[in-house]
Amino acid sequence: MIKKKIEKALIKQINEELYSSYLYWSMSSYFESKNLPGFANWMKVQSEEEYLHARKFYNYLISAGGRVLLDGIKTPKTDWESVESVFKETLDHEIFITNCINDLVTLALEEKDHATNSFLQWFVDEQVEEVSTAEQILHEVKMVAGNSQGLFMLDREFKSRAGIIPDIAE
Ligand code: OFO
């Protein structure tokens, strides 16, 4: 049976992942409003990924004998100054999530919970990728700043990111 302290920390992380999903969905909606369907698609897929991260924590907690009590998700920001500011916030958010994951690993080690530590290693690796991707896109967006042709090309490129969850609502 998982320790209450660890259970509580993992439930908090489920909330962070769901908030990440909500935040990126809100960013997707912002891009839709700016007629940037490729960026909107990229963020929608990112939002789906975050939902699956929440599910991964949920499934682990259930299999470890935990009881998942879900909490409210805070309201995400809905407006940004520019495409660049969206990706700057994405990068900052991913750095924040990396710190959350690192804190969870520290807690698991302090509590000698090696199973949870092992489970968390997937997220440690994932965060390296998440931060690096956000950095890369921010870099690309900065390079085309003020150049609508360049932004159009990037938008077209981001249209091809494949979704994870089938869109049955279309
Ligand atoms: Fe973006 O990795 Fe989960 O939150």
Side-chain angles (χ1 to χ4, degrees):
M1 192 79 166
I2 197 156
K3 285 184 183 169
K4 281 288 159 200
K5 206 171 172 181
I6 303 269
E7 180 186 80
K8 201 173 154 204
L10 294 181
I11 289 173
K12 186 170 175 295
Q13 191 57 31
I14 290 176
N15 195 274
E16 295 293 0
E17 300 295 339
L18 288 175
Y19 174 72
S20 302
S21 178
Y22 216 28
L23 175 66
Y24 295 148
W25 199 8
S26 185
M27 288 172 172
S28 177
S29 170
Y30 165 79
F31 286 137
E32 294 282 7
S33 78
K34 298 290 171 193
N35 256 318
L36 291 166
F39 282 103
N41 174 61
W42 194 92
M43 274 301 172
K44 188 196 74 177
V45 177
Q46 193 62 22
S47 167
E48 291 172 354
E49 261 199 17
E50 299 301 352
Y51 173 66
L52 294 180
H53 291 171
R55 289 272 299 270
K56 213 172 168 72
F57 276 101
Y58 175 92
N59 290 343
Y60 172 72
L61 252 175
I62 297 293
S63 68
R67 166 75 168 99
V68 181
L69 298 170
L70 295 173
D71 205 351
I73 307 166
K74 68 176 185 245
T75 306
K77 192 170 157 181
T78 52
D79 207 10
W80 288 266
E81 271 174 27
S82 60
V83 173
E84 186 177 322
S85 68
V86 174
F87 282 98
K88 172 77 179 74
E89 185 164 342
T90 301
L91 176 59
D92 290 345
H93 186 68
E94 288 303 331
I95 291 170
F96 166 74
I97 293 292
T98 298
N99 291 334
C100 293
I101 300 292
N102 288 343
D103 289 347
L104 285 173
V105 170
T106 303
L107 179 67
L109 291 173
E110 278 169 5
E111 295 295 319
K112 297 186 173 35
D113 184 342
H114 298 290
T116 297
N117 177 41
S118 168
F119 162 75
L120 288 168
Q121 294 312 304
W122 184 90
F123 285 94
V124 170
D125 295 340
E126 174 72 4
Q127 281 313 119
V128 174
E129 200 186 308
E130 294 272 64
V131 170
S132 155
T133 303
E135 271 171 347
Q136 179 59 33
I137 297 178
L138 179 61
H139 176 68
E140 288 174 15
V141 166
K142 276 181 176 170
M143 284 206 315
V144 301
N147 170 359
S148 54
Q149 174 95 12
L151 198 64
F152 174 78
M153 298 294 279
L154 268 187
D155 188 64
R156 216 161 57 174
E157 186 187 318
F158 288 151
K159 233 180 243 174
S160 62
R161 186 178 188 191
I164 305 162
I165 300 172
D167 205 336
I168 56 167
E170 269 177 5

